[in-house]
Amino acid sequence: MPNLALELGKQSASLGVRSVYGEQQDVDGVRVIPVAISWSGFGAGEDPERGSGGGGGGVAIPVGAYIRRGDDLRFDPNLVSLVAVGIPFVWVAGRALSRIIRALKR
């Protein structure tokens, strides 16, 4: 039986920016380079008596794209995704700031 962890690792190569956007594109002299945040996790196990099994998953969030026209390079964000990704950071920063202020008042 092939090693399940190795097989899952090979399949994880398809996750990421390519699964969200595809490859970079050149259209009328404008190059579009996609940007995404992605992560994945996998696990597998084998037991001689019970058999083997494995599973995993991944997430890829489209963040935006770099647009290149000649020498000009700019980032065009996907605002909905940036807000969704930014909410946890804002929550953590607010929580930390409130604790710092509370500690300074003592």
Side-chain angles (χ1 to χ4, degrees):
M1 170 143 268
N3 189 338
L4 290 176
L6 291 176
E7 292 298 319
L8 289 172
K10 289 177 187 176
Q11 292 177 2
S12 71
S14 66
L15 295 174
V17 177
R18 289 187 190 116
S19 67
V20 177
Y21 284 115
E23 298 290 333
Q24 69 181 10
Q25 300 291 320
D26 292 320
V27 180
D28 295 329
V30 177
R31 177 170 284 178
V32 179
I33 305 165
V35 179
I37 295 173
S38 66
W39 62 93
S40 60
F42 297 94
E46 294 183 35
D47 185 358
E49 297 175 9
R50 298 183 188 177
S52 59
V59 175
I61 300 170
V63 177
Y66 284 104
I67 310 295
R68 177 175 286 241
R69 288 189 178 103
D71 291 337
D72 181 37
L73 179 66
R74 65 183 171 83
F75 179 72
D76 255 355
N78 178 342
L79 294 178
V80 174
S81 293
L82 285 178
V83 168
V85 169
I87 287 173
F89 294 116
V90 171
W91 182 83
V92 168
R95 183 101 168 148
L97 187 59
S98 70
R99 289 181 182 215
I100 290 170
I101 292 171
R102 190 178 311 138
L104 291 174
K105 284 184 177 180
R106 293 183 186 174

